[in-house]
Amino acid sequence: MRVFVAVVPPAEALDHLAEFLEPRRDVEGPRWSPPDQWHLTLAFMPSAPDRVVEPMLDKVAAAASGRAPVDLVIAGGGCFPGVDRARVLWAGVHGAERLTPLARAVRSACAVVGAAPEGGPFRAHLTLARFARPLDASRWVRVLDTYEGPGWRAEEVVVVESHLPRERGHRPQYEVLARPPLGR
């Protein structure tokens, strides 16, 4: 099962960013992800065995309950792997350093039950778009550097099963498995 644990900004914050980006999108630009799929991934498990999902949900809930809600602001942006050879365009998050302990706790919770999180160190970002081939995306980063959205409070994590599309050009489908609240 393909699963991730994330913090999802509220609709107001996502809509604000989408409205900012809308007039700046061009025909030759990147392939944009829909705003309802923008999230801050804390842990990604590309192939969690079905048998570990229930214990994983329990462990993630316990990890979330031990962390306080966090105030965040979507602002700025960047590219992976870098601006000069961008494949992914992302928006940054002010206050995200306070999510690092939560990301560690969630990844640990998933690993303990055998869900095997993937990826390097946590870097809070919302993936906005992907480029068909590596290119210099300086102009997009300059645009994002002018953006600062409304503040919001992360009060829960979301555990999501991601169903990959069966046909090229389609988007993944997300199914929320749980919404454990942050505690303290």
Side-chain angles (χ1 to χ4, degrees), residues 8-20 38 40 70-76 92-95 98 126 146-154:
V8 179
E12 300 79 30
L14 296 175
D15 291 345
H16 191 272
L17 177 57
E19 288 172 21
F20 171 81
W38 294 344
L40 302 160
V70 178
D71 292 324
L72 303 167
V73 175
I74 300 170
V93 181
H94 290 312
R98 294 186 299 269
L126 288 94
T146 68
Y147 179 75
E148 183 168 321
W152 53 280
R153 177 168 278 191

Side-chain angles (χ1 to χ4, degrees), residues 3-6 40-45 103 106-108 110 117-118 122:
V3 181
F4 64 86
V5 181
L40 302 160
T41 303
L42 301 172
F44 171 64
M45 288 69 60
V106 165
R107 289 179 183 194
S108 177
C110 294
E118 212 176 67
F122 174 67

Side-chain angles (χ1 to χ4, degrees), residues 4-153:
F4 64 86
V5 181
V7 169
V8 179
E12 300 79 30
L14 296 175
D15 291 345
H16 191 272
L17 177 57
E19 288 172 21
F20 171 81
L21 291 171
E22 187 58 39
R24 293 160 178 86
R25 296 181 189 191
D26 58 21
V27 177
E28 298 299 318
R31 187 180 75 240
W32 294 91
S33 299
D36 66 348
Q37 291 189 347
W38 294 344
H39 58 271
L40 302 160
T41 303
L42 301 172
F44 171 64
M45 288 69 60
S47 56
D50 289 346
R51 64 181 163 68
V52 305
V53 172
E54 286 302 319
M56 180 185 67
L57 296 176
D58 293 340
K59 292 284 189 186
V60 168
S65 72
R67 303 285 180 233
V70 178
D71 292 324
L72 303 167
V73 175
I74 300 170
C79 297
F80 293 132
V83 174
D84 60 339
R85 58 190 191 291
R87 294 295 303 220
V88 174
L89 177 68
W90 51 264
V93 181
H94 290 312
E97 67 281 355
R98 294 186 299 269
L99 288 175
T100 301
L102 174 62
R104 279 193 211 115
V106 165
R107 289 179 183 194
S108 177
C110 294
V112 163
V113 298
E118 212 176 67
F122 174 67
R123 175 137 187 204
H125 68 281
L126 288 94
T127 297
L128 302 176
R130 297 180 185 280
F131 297 98
R133 64 186 193 301
L135 54 79
D136 184 320
S138 299
R139 75 181 184 99
W140 285 106
V141 174
R142 283 193 302 273
V143 165
L144 286 169
D145 281 346
T146 68
Y147 179 75
E148 183 168 321
W152 53 280
R153 177 168 278 191

